[in-house]
Amino acid sequence: MPDLQKSQDTRNIAIDKVGIKDVRYPIVVEDKNTSRQQTVASINMYVELPHQFKGTHMSRFLEILNQYRGEQVTLNDMEGLLQAMKERLESDCAHIELTFPYFIEKQAPVSQAKGLMEYECRFVGSLREKNDFVLEVRVPVTSLCPCSRDISRYGAHNQRSSVTVAIRSKKMIWIEDLISWVESCGSAPVYSLLKREDEKAVTEQAYENPMFVEDIVRAVTEKLKSIPSIKWFRVECENYESIHNHSAYATLEYPRRSD
């Protein structure tokens, strides 16, 4: 049968990324406590398309993905997968993005009641001459407004906040550790299961630890800068304000582009 994708294109225009998006696929991720965690990822796979080719072969992305079915997704596995994409699709550069829910068992602070917390995680990999890997996590925390506490006769408004951190590191960083570092930087952590005594403890913890959105971003920055193996990171925080009709937002990238 004719291979139209590989036929000549005369417009002399290369395409940065071409491929498939939003493929739902089961994967296995390294778990610090149980060694393996099965989950389902939404996967994007792209290659750079040379100017002389009319198109890429979409089915080959899924053929490559099927070769890795059931295997643990690690940094080394992703590099092998990206190399296979470059070779099979005759491209100079390949990209892959995996977004998946990751579950961690957490204990309530007083009752010690156990519950599963879900965190959204992403693996982002690219391979040209060198491999590039970014780990990203989205972590919910509680934030309590310092201004509200300072000006009110009693109480203070608080809200759930979402902290998204992306890192590049010289060696493997456990997802659990990265989440724990971020959780320590809010007014208080978020839990899936709390008894009344736990609610009292978490509420009082937040009240004693008020933070603006800027405070959270700076606290996460200080923490990540103290980890020697992390060479680059980006922090975003969004506070879903409880008494305002808007969110508060802050972001920071390190090293800064001006550094």
Side-chain angles (χ1 to χ4, degrees), residues 85-154:
M85 290 167 60
K86 286 181 61 176
E87 293 172 359
R88 288 287 307 279
L89 293 148
E90 301 179 59
S91 177
D92 292 331
C93 187
H95 310 272
I96 189 167
E97 303 166 357
L98 299 92
T99 304
F100 55 93
Y102 191 80
F103 295 88
I104 298 177
E105 185 176 78
K106 288 181 66 176
Q107 285 188 323
V110 180
S111 71
Q112 302 297 298
K114 296 180 180 180
L116 283 178
M117 276 290 296
E118 177 187 347
Y119 302 90
E120 182 181 295
C121 301
R122 291 182 79 221
F123 292 163
V124 180
S126 297
L127 180 62
R128 190 179 290 275
E129 288 82 14
K130 294 183 179 180
N131 183 41
D132 180 55
F133 176 75
V134 174
L135 167 63
E136 182 178 303
V137 297
R138 180 175 295 173
V139 182
V141 298
T142 296
S143 59
L144 185 135
C145 178
C147 182
S148 175
R149 196 188 77 157
D150 190 56
I151 64 177
S152 302
R153 286 191 298 144
Y154 48 85

Side-chain angles (χ1 to χ4, degrees), residues 14-102:
I15 298 178
D16 294 334
K17 291 181 180 180
V18 58
I20 60 175
K21 285 194 69 173
D22 297 328
V23 177
R24 299 283 290 174
Y25 205 85
I27 63 170
V28 181
V29 184
E30 287 186 294
D31 186 306
K32 185 177 182 180
N33 300 312
T34 62
S35 77
R36 292 164 62 90
Q37 183 172 146
Q38 295 181 335
T39 185
V40 176
S42 176
I43 302 178
N44 304 331
M45 302 172 74
Y46 316 113
V47 291
E48 184 180 275
L49 184 68
H51 69 86
Q52 68 269 24
F53 291 152
K54 187 172 184 63
T56 194
H57 296 83
M58 300 293 181
S59 63
R60 294 183 185 177
F61 290 100
L62 291 169
E63 289 174 348
I64 294 167
L65 192 58
N66 285 335
Q67 294 174 3
Y68 285 81
R69 184 169 58 190
E71 297 185 17
Q72 231 168 218
V73 179
T74 65
L75 177 57
N76 292 333
D77 293 327
M78 287 193 64
E79 186 171 359
L81 195 154
L82 288 163
Q83 185 62 44
M85 290 167 60
K86 286 181 61 176
E87 293 172 359
R88 288 287 307 279
L89 293 148
E90 301 179 59
S91 177
D92 292 331
C93 187
H95 310 272
I96 189 167
E97 303 166 357
L98 299 92
T99 304
F100 55 93
Y102 191 80

Side-chain angles (χ1 to χ4, degrees), residues 168-221:
R168 290 185 176 97
S169 58
K170 299 174 185 176
K171 64 179 184 179
M172 177 186 172
I173 299 290
W174 287 103
I175 292 174
E176 290 86 347
D177 290 341
L178 185 55
I179 288 172
S180 177
W181 297 334
V182 175
E183 286 183 329
S184 69
C185 295
S187 295
V190 171
Y191 298 85
S192 62
L193 175 59
L194 292 172
K195 307 297 284 184
R196 279 179 296 179
E197 58 268 36
D198 301 308
E199 290 187 8
K200 178 179 184 297
V202 172
T203 301
E204 291 174 349
Q205 178 184 349
Y207 189 81
E208 295 299 327
N209 191 30
M211 285 195 170
F212 292 123
V213 68
E214 299 93 333
D215 294 317
I216 295 175
V217 165
R218 286 174 171 144
V220 174
T221 296

